Amino acid sequence: MSKPLALIIDDEPDILELLDMTLARMNLQCRRAGTLQQALQLLDSEEFDLCLTDMRLPDGDGLQIVRHIQQQHPRLPVAMITAYGSLDTAISALKAGAFDFLTKPVDLQRLRELVNQALRLGQTDNDSQHAEQDDQLLGISPPMQHLRRQIDKLARSQAPIYISGESGSGKELVARRIHQLGPRRSQPFVPVNCGAIPAELMESEFFGHRRGSFSGAVADKPGLFQAAEGGTLFLDEVADLPLHMQVKLLRAIQEKAVRPVGSQQEQPVDVRLLCATHKDLAEQVANGHFRQDLFYRLNVIELRVPPLRERREDLPLLCDSILSRLAERSDMTPPRLTPAAVEKLANYRFPGNVRELENILERAFTLCEGSLVDGQDLQLEQLSPSTGDSDNLTHIDSLEDYLNDIERRAITQALEETRWNRTAAAKRLGLSFRSLRYRLKKLGLDD
């Protein structure tokens, strides 16, 4: 079996020598390039398994290498080597398609981890058929096809990803899919709901603690970062983190290390960070509820999950899957939807998205007689808040979310009535075009 072949690009001979020696000890062959032109010639003449490039080159920069590889060799992982503290450069490289980045002076342990992750991408590519069988993201609509293409591309990167989308739209499934298709798939995927952890326990839950560090700490306990070592840590509802915890999370990301409560020393950690929230994170930053520097680190790449109303073509597939799963759990034959039930579902807005669809069908599955689910079994009328019942607040969990949903429904209805003519829709709603454009972006409707 031939050794993996790496291309290393740097105009400093000492750096090239260090990289070559380190990779040779890992049983890799290397080709060296000191300029952009030399690198492009080698890329056109040989097949590489990995590329490491410096940012500054005598006749260009590393971003040109990254963009060339993205266009001509999209399956080749490329990592950028940047000067210490050049975070903007590193983020630019990740956005351009770099797999990961290193800072000078090069940490050899970090280099070895990066190389191993990159080489595992080839094995991940070979396991794509197995990963396809595990896919729980259902849908064949254009928005879902677009989402799948983005996931396939981003799974090959180590860049932090901010997954945006409404409640119930499937953000955790997207995060799991990114993990499944990436080089960390054999390591843990650890999801955590940031809004479900009491503020006083957050530091211990995230970073672990030492025995005796506080009352009740009867033994050493690893945190979520340690549990996700080598794999992926998914922070759901990251906007709910209190400010004091945001500071500590930012340090953990920057230093790639955590300090357990009661410990004097930091522990290095190797995790890929994915985060999600149904809130507008940029708006949270503007309101002072979320740190701008942390937002900058988490939001390297944003991945939007479409709401169910934007992919109604997927309803039959989703309904069949959900009903089959419910029937299997009860050891029964899956019921079928009557035409009346299909029509009701097709006309419903689904403010709670796929999660709401699951709840609707589970209730209908329980109520239906025989092998058919009829329109009345869905009980959709009970789910639409009555505008005349202003005293009934049982259906409101969050006033902000409730008002956003009313605004979203009104705007979408106006757009549908005007065949998505935004100027006409703005006039229909009594808004200026600029105001409508702002609201579309705020509500995630600006496609």
Side-chain angles (χ1 to χ4, degrees):
M1 184 176 178
S2 61
K3 296 180 180 180
L5 183 60
L7 173 60
I8 50 179
I9 310 165
D10 203 301
D11 62 340
E12 296 183 46
D14 290 348
I15 296 290
L16 282 177
E17 186 66 28
L18 175 66
L19 295 174
D20 198 336
M21 288 175 56
T22 305
L23 269 57
R25 288 176 183 148
M26 298 179 69
N27 206 30
L28 275 77
Q29 302 179 74
C30 292
R31 300 284 184 270
R32 302 185 187 188
T35 66
L36 175 67
Q37 286 306 313
Q38 288 176 3
L40 294 178
Q41 290 171 6
L42 284 169
L43 282 166
D44 290 341
S45 62
E46 296 191 70
E47 292 288 331
F48 292 95
D49 300 289
L50 167 67
C51 176
L52 301 174
T53 179
D54 191 22
M55 180 61 190
R56 297 184 181 276
L57 299 170
D59 55 344
D61 62 52
L63 287 177
Q64 292 172 268
I65 298 285
V66 173
R67 294 189 183 105
H68 176 82
I69 287 175
Q70 277 292 299
Q71 292 174 359
Q72 304 298 326
H73 312 278
R75 309 306 287 178
L76 172 61
V78 52
M80 178 72 73
I81 303 173
T82 68
Y84 179 76
S86 300
L87 179 60
D88 289 349
T89 301
I91 288 178
S92 296
L94 292 171
K95 287 184 175 180
F99 163 77
D100 208 340
F101 68 93
L102 290 165
T103 56
K104 293 181 179 180
V106 175
D107 182 317
L108 295 186
Q109 179 59 33
R110 172 82 183 103
L111 171 61
R112 285 188 282 267
E113 290 172 356
L114 183 150
V115 170
N116 286 328
Q117 292 284 355
L119 295 179
R120 275 200 285 268
L121 278 172
Q123 180 183 355
T124 301
D125 292 342
N126 295 332
D127 291 343
S128 59
Q129 185 176 1
H130 173 72
E132 205 61 42
Q133 296 172 353
D134 294 337
D135 188 7
Q136 297 183 39
L137 268 178
L138 300 178
I140 56 174
S141 61
M144 287 301 289
Q145 292 178 23
H146 176 65
L147 179 63
R148 286 177 188 283
R149 287 192 296 271
Q150 289 181 297
I151 289 172
D152 288 345
K153 180 179 179 181
L154 295 176
R156 299 180 58 81
S157 166
Q158 294 299 292
I161 297 174
Y162 165 46
I163 305 170
S164 63
E166 297 175 10
S167 294
S169 57
K171 297 186 291 296
E172 183 173 336
L173 287 180
V174 169
R176 286 184 183 275
R177 185 65 179 159
I178 292 170
H179 175 76
Q180 281 179 338
L181 294 177
R184 297 175 178 266
R185 61 172 299 174
S186 61
Q187 301 302 316
F189 175 86
V190 179
V192 53
N193 187 328
C194 298
I197 304 176
E200 64 273 14
L201 298 179
M202 273 194 173
E203 189 173 355
S204 170
E205 286 296 314
F206 274 86
F207 309 135
H209 62 251
R210 290 283 179 259
R211 178 183 176 184
S213 56
F214 56 86
S215 177
V218 295
D220 289 356
K221 177 179 177 292
L224 293 163
F225 269 86
Q226 293 95 325
E229 175 65 29
T232 302
L233 181 61
F234 173 54
L235 303 180
D236 197 7
E237 299 304 346
V238 70
D240 291 340
L241 284 175
L243 287 170
H244 81 275
M245 195 62 204
Q246 293 177 27
V247 177
K248 296 180 183 296
L249 177 60
L250 178 63
R251 176 172 176 79
I253 295 171
Q254 289 174 334
E255 302 300 325
K256 296 184 183 295
V258 298
R259 179 179 295 173
V261 177
S263 174
Q264 299 302 312
Q265 296 187 343
E266 290 188 328
Q267 296 178 354
V269 288
D270 171 31
V271 300
R272 184 182 189 184
L273 209 59
L274 306 178
C275 71
T277 179
H278 73 284
K279 296 180 180 177
D280 185 332
L281 210 51
E283 186 178 282
Q284 296 292 306
V285 171
N287 293 338
H289 298 147
F290 201 84
R291 291 182 62 98
Q292 186 172 28
D293 47 8
L294 179 57
F295 172 70
Y296 190 49
R297 290 305 301 265
L298 294 177
N299 191 31
V300 172
I301 298 172
E302 181 174 351
L303 182 61
R304 178 178 177 269
V305 183
L308 184 53
R309 64 181 169 276
E310 290 182 11
R311 55 185 192 101
R312 294 186 182 276
E313 306 98 307
D314 297 330
L315 271 172
L317 181 62
L318 288 166
C319 290
D320 286 346
S321 174
I322 294 168
L323 290 172
S324 295
R325 189 167 67 246
L326 292 169
E328 183 179 354
R329 193 187 306 164
S330 304
D331 196 22
M332 296 171 61
T333 302
R336 290 181 297 107
L337 296 171
T338 65
V342 170
E343 183 179 1
K344 282 204 169 190
L345 288 172
N347 292 325
Y348 186 60
R349 298 293 305 157
F350 290 105
N353 294 292
V354 179
R355 188 182 301 137
E356 183 180 15
L357 175 63
E358 291 175 340
N359 293 336
I360 289 169
L361 292 179
E362 184 169 8
R363 181 171 56 249
F365 178 80
T366 305
L367 295 174
C368 72
E369 298 285 344
S371 60
L372 294 176
V373 173
D374 201 5
Q376 62 187 10
D377 298 323
L378 300 173
Q379 297 188 349
L380 295 185
E381 295 81 2
Q382 299 179 18
L383 300 176
S384 301
S386 171
T387 54
D389 189 7
S390 58
D391 295 326
N392 181 11
L393 302 178
T394 57
H395 57 273
I396 301 178
D397 294 321
S398 162
L399 180 61
E400 181 180 349
D401 292 348
Y402 176 66
L403 294 175
N404 282 343
D405 185 59
I406 292 174
E407 187 176 6
R408 187 179 291 110
R409 278 184 284 176
I411 290 175
T412 305
Q413 182 178 339
L415 287 167
E416 289 173 348
E417 290 176 358
T418 58
R419 300 195 176 190
W420 294 85
N421 182 318
R422 296 188 177 190
T423 303
K427 186 176 180 181
R428 171 82 175 77
L429 293 165
L431 299 172
S432 68
F433 181 78
R434 183 177 181 181
S435 178
L436 175 63
R437 189 171 58 183
Y438 167 79
R439 291 165 191 265
L440 288 170
K441 185 173 183 180
K442 183 187 79 167
L443 298 170
L445 298 172
D446 189 18
D447 291 329

